[in-house]
Amino acid sequence: MKWSVFGVLIAVMVTAVSTWFWADSKLNHENVLADYPGRPAAGKGTNWLIVGSDSRQGLTDSEQDDLHTGHDTEGKRSDSMMILHVGDNGNTLMSIPRDSWVPIPEHPGSNGKPVKGTTAKINSAFGSGGGRLLVQTIEQNTGIRIDHYAEIGFGGFVGVVDSIGGVEMHIDQAVKDKDSGLDLKAGDQTLTGKQALAFVRQRHQMADQDLGRMRNQQKFLGALAHQAASPGNLLNPFTFYPLVDSALGTLIVDEDCGLTDLGSFFLAMKDVNGGSGKSLTVPIGNPDYRTKTGESAVLWDTNKSKQLFDSFKNDTAVPDFK
């Protein structure tokens, strides 16, 4: 009997270690947190930059049609970006409008020659220089040093949701959006991967368009983290392994990010959704700023945004601007 128990323990340990190395091998690392002159000093707490990209990698043409993503596969653009601050004063998830009008620093072009710095919408940094330029742009405009980076494309997003059997959400009002393909009734329901992708992308039925869309993104990501981190999913091999395979196989993280870091990240996201943290957006000064070229962009509220950014840097209580 003693040897049987010992054998079971050995088997469990071998399985756990094998699973750890298998999961760790799925991570895709990129050097997006490179140092540069004038980079903000490390602050207190931990800051994650979370990027949802419009990458169609891994999707067939028919899947792109079904998901209403279009077939523009040249490069990738940022569909959403958020900073998650994990600290002693609670965890805070801050969305950054992709149309924020900010200085973009000088950076290497595709031909290797330097591209002069300019002022443009913040998502153009991701399109021009990927995660590294986006990190530098956000750091220089906020003064917040990014400690970890996580990026996921359309295909990975859908796969994660479907691997746990969908995500339970409360929809405040019925939504039918032709562009995203979203057709939902009001009330409690479980969103499939396809529905979830449309939910976090649609914006045309909201009075404040992109700002309303960011609230949906925050709400959904919190619900996703809460459900994915539940014992029912983590302890069930029929959901755990597909979840890990879908999430880590398409996730791009910084070079120093490991499984322990990702575990802390998911727990922090779960806390935000559970009410012990906060979800907010960079304070807006002008949501419809007109550029010299006639584009509509978003200007931050200089004073309020600085107060918020300082709370992230110093790990102090997030100001309440209400």
Side-chain angles (χ1 to χ4, degrees):
M1 180 65 179
K2 179 174 65 176
W3 286 107
S4 297
V5 173
F6 182 73
V8 170
L9 291 175
I10 291 294
V12 169
M13 291 175 61
V14 169
T15 300
V17 172
S18 299
T19 298
W20 179 274
F21 281 104
W22 168 77
D24 188 64
S25 70
K26 302 289 291 183
L27 284 173
N28 301 294
H29 293 93
E30 283 190 10
N31 182 21
V32 295
L33 302 182
D35 283 326
Y36 55 85
R39 187 180 184 196
K44 299 178 180 179
T46 302
N47 297 305
W48 284 81
L49 177 58
I50 309 163
V51 179
S53 82
D54 68 357
S55 172
R56 280 83 167 164
Q57 183 178 357
L59 294 176
T60 64
D61 287 346
S62 61
E63 286 173 331
Q64 291 179 48
D65 288 335
D66 185 48
L67 295 173
H68 293 254
T69 64
H71 293 269
D72 181 12
T73 55
E74 291 298 322
K76 55 185 179 180
R77 294 161 298 189
S78 57
D79 204 56
S80 62
M81 61 193 79
M82 307 175 187
I83 296 178
L84 173 67
H85 176 76
V86 182
D88 293 336
N89 280 281
N91 305 321
T92 304
L93 183 64
M94 176 179 69
S95 289
I96 300 175
R98 61 180 183 175
D99 289 342
S100 298
W101 194 248
V102 297
I104 309 292
E106 181 177 298
H107 57 279
S110 56
N111 57 4
K113 296 181 179 180
V115 177
K116 291 184 178 181
T118 185
T119 300
K121 294 180 179 180
I122 198 169
N123 66 342
S124 68
F126 187 74
S128 299
R132 181 182 292 194
L133 181 58
L134 180 60
V135 168
Q136 184 178 351
T137 299
I138 288 176
E139 288 184 336
Q140 293 193 345
N141 280 281
T142 65
I144 300 171
R145 186 183 180 103
I146 301 301
D147 302 299
H148 285 298
Y149 176 92
E151 174 196 328
I152 192 165
F154 286 162
F157 182 89
V158 172
V160 169
V161 175
D162 286 339
S163 69
I164 59 174
V167 173
E168 297 176 4
M169 290 284 295
H170 177 79
I171 307 301
D172 295 327
Q173 59 184 27
V175 182
K176 191 165 186 177
D177 182 65
K178 180 180 178 182
D179 290 334
S180 65
L182 186 63
D183 187 359
L184 296 176
K185 296 179 180 180
D188 296 330
Q189 54 200 286
T190 300
L191 303 189
T192 65
K194 177 182 176 180
Q195 291 172 322
L197 180 62
F199 178 74
V200 299
R201 297 186 69 209
Q202 72 91 20
R203 60 177 179 170
H204 298 295
Q205 292 191 341
M206 303 178 195
D208 49 3
Q209 297 274 315
D210 225 31
L211 300 181
R213 190 178 77 131
M214 286 188 296
R215 289 194 296 272
N216 278 350
Q217 291 170 348
Q218 292 175 340
K219 181 179 179 181
F220 181 82
L221 286 179
L224 173 61
H226 182 80
Q227 194 163 325
S230 68
N233 282 314
L234 295 181
L235 300 178
N236 183 352
F238 295 103
T239 55
F240 174 75
Y241 286 100
L243 171 62
V244 172
D245 190 51
S246 297
L248 303 189
T250 56
L251 191 68
I252 296 174
V253 296
D254 60 275
E255 289 188 325
D256 294 329
C257 180
L259 293 179
T260 302
D261 299 307
L262 283 175
S264 298
F265 164 73
F266 273 103
L267 289 176
M269 287 291 296
K270 183 177 180 180
D271 286 343
V272 168
N273 182 68
S276 59
K278 291 186 177 180
S279 295
L280 42 78
T281 300
V282 173
I284 305 301
N286 186 349
D288 191 23
Y289 170 72
R290 293 293 165 172
T291 70
K292 293 180 179 179
T293 59
E295 294 179 273
S296 175
V298 174
L299 287 184
W300 299 346
D301 183 303
T302 304
N303 293 328
K304 290 182 178 180
S305 60
K306 184 180 185 305
Q307 293 178 52
L308 179 58
F309 301 155
D310 285 348
S311 71
F312 274 48
K313 288 188 292 183
N314 302 320
D315 192 25
T316 55
V318 173
D320 186 355
F321 297 116
K322 295 181 180 179

